[in-house]
Structure formats: structure tokens, C-alpha cells
Amino acid sequence: MKKLSLLLLLSVFVFCSCGDDDDAKNEVVVSFENMLTEPESEFKTTEGEEDGYYMKCYFKDPLQVIEMSHFYSLNGENTSFGGGFTYTNKTDKMTPGYENISAITAKGKNGKVYLTSNSNSYTPARITNLNPDKYEFKGAWVTNTTYAYLAIKDGNDDSGSVKGAFESGDWFKLTAVGYQANGAEIGRVDFYLADFRDGKSKIVNTWEWFDWSYIEDADHIEFEMSSTDNNDYGMATPSYFCLDGITLIED
């Protein structure tokens, strides 16, 4: 009986120890906070290769944990953001139009610098896990750009393509789609950046957590956007959003 009791006690100890190890998994939170030296600036480059209407390249975070797509147009020595991702510290919460890539929060979740994305079929936004054997995706903080927010709230868009302010039943959705390295889809998760269904009238204007645990094993994530505001050319709502604090956890 004493031997049996000792064996049971040892089993309980081993089980608890394993649980503690799982809880102690390390997280990596991606930050571009020290990558910009000037206020009201953004990441720009003249590297890359021609891809349709834009030049295309990729950039990595300072720890080289992830890689992100970046599209831009080139006019002489001047470049302008086209899509994919860029990082910025812009703070304009008032000006409508695509030239304003500021978050509606005017700052990041954890600092001044955050990511802005324009994701569509011409400029797909992709995040690749550079260490899939070591880390898996956990999630990120997300909010609206000023551009999308004002188009949804007031119908204020310099392109003139939006139908007007959102009404009952309207919505604007961001979808994170996880893929294996061979391109096979493993799953998708949705986040509503604006939701006027079922009596709601919410337009996201703070940083909110976007959980990617359902697609944690993805080699890369691509982002799709959809809305109830569409025309003959596709979605009329600006296909822009912001991310900060992209988090990966030990596999």
C-alpha cells in the first residue's frame, strides 16, 4: 500500500510539472518602435521588383521572426505606399482619403509605431512565420485606419465610391487566412472592424485583440477584406486596417 501511494504521488507531481512547462512558453511580440527616426513618417524603400501596377518587396521585423509583403509606386526618387504592409508613426485622425495611412487611434497599442495595411487582390497583405519549427502564431492587436473609419462613419471618402455612412445591417470584416508552405489553406478567422447588424452600431476606434490561435500552425497568413458596401468594381469600403503587437508563441 505504501508503494502504491508513493507511485500515485509521483504521477501527480509529473503531471503538474508538465502543465507548468506549457504555461511558461515564451512569447515574442513584434515591434517596429525604434525603426523610424522622424515624426509623421513611414517605411519606404526603392528595392523590389515590378509586380503589376506596383513594385513589390518584403521586409522583416528587427528580430527577424516574421516577413511582410510591401507594395509601392515609384515616381523618380519618390515612393508612395501601395499596399501589403508598411510601418508608420502617423497621427492624423481627421483627414479622409487614401493618402492618410494613420490609425484612427493616432498611435500604436504599445508605442508610437504600428503597421498599416492595404490588402486586396492587387496588393495582398501577407505575414510569413520565418521560424515555423520554433514559433506559432497567437494573434495581434487591430484597429481601423482613419481612411476606413471616416468612410464608414460619415461616408467621407475622396474617391467618391462609398455609398455613404453605414446603416443598419452593414458590416466591414477582416479575415485572416492561414496557409501551409505548399499553399494549402488550413483555416480562417474573422474580425469585424465595423458591425451594424442586430441593432449594433460599432466602428472599431481602439486597439482590440485579434485571436489567431485557430490558424496558429500557419506557415503564412494572408488577409482578406469584405463589406456590405460594394459596387460594379468590388468592395467600396477602403480595404485598409492597422495591426500592432503581432505575437508568436513557442511551439
Side-chain angles (χ1 to χ4, degrees), residues 21-30 65-66 127-140 178-179 186 209-221 245-251:
D21 287 343
D22 290 340
D23 293 339
K25 286 185 176 180
N26 291 326
E27 291 184 355
V28 174
V29 179
V30 172
V65 176
I66 59 173
I127 301 175
T128 301
N129 181 357
L130 296 176
N131 299 282
D133 295 333
K134 184 176 182 180
Y135 295 109
E136 57 191 26
F137 288 110
K138 182 177 181 179
Y179 292 93
I186 67 170
W209 181 249
F210 189 7
D211 185 2
W212 299 344
S213 57
Y214 182 69
I215 53 173
E216 61 186 6
D217 294 326
D219 169 82
H220 59 275
I221 296 174
I246 297 170
T247 303
L248 295 89
I249 190 169
E250 278 188 334
D251 194 356

Side-chain angles (χ1 to χ4, degrees), residues 92-102 146-147 150 156 158:
D92 185 351
K93 299 194 296 181
M94 304 299 294
T95 306
Y98 72 93
E99 292 184 348
N100 183 6
I101 64 170
S102 172
T146 298
Y147 179 27
L150 294 179
N156 197 345
D158 60 355

Side-chain angles (χ1 to χ4, degrees), residues 14 21 35 48 50 128-129 132 145 150 159 162 167 187 247:
V14 171
D21 287 343
M35 300 295 290
E50 188 172 349
T128 301
N129 181 357
T145 60
L150 294 179
S159 71
V162 300
E167 301 172 344
T247 303

Side-chain angles (χ1 to χ4, degrees), residues 112 229 231:
K112 296 180 179 180
D229 185 7
N231 55 35

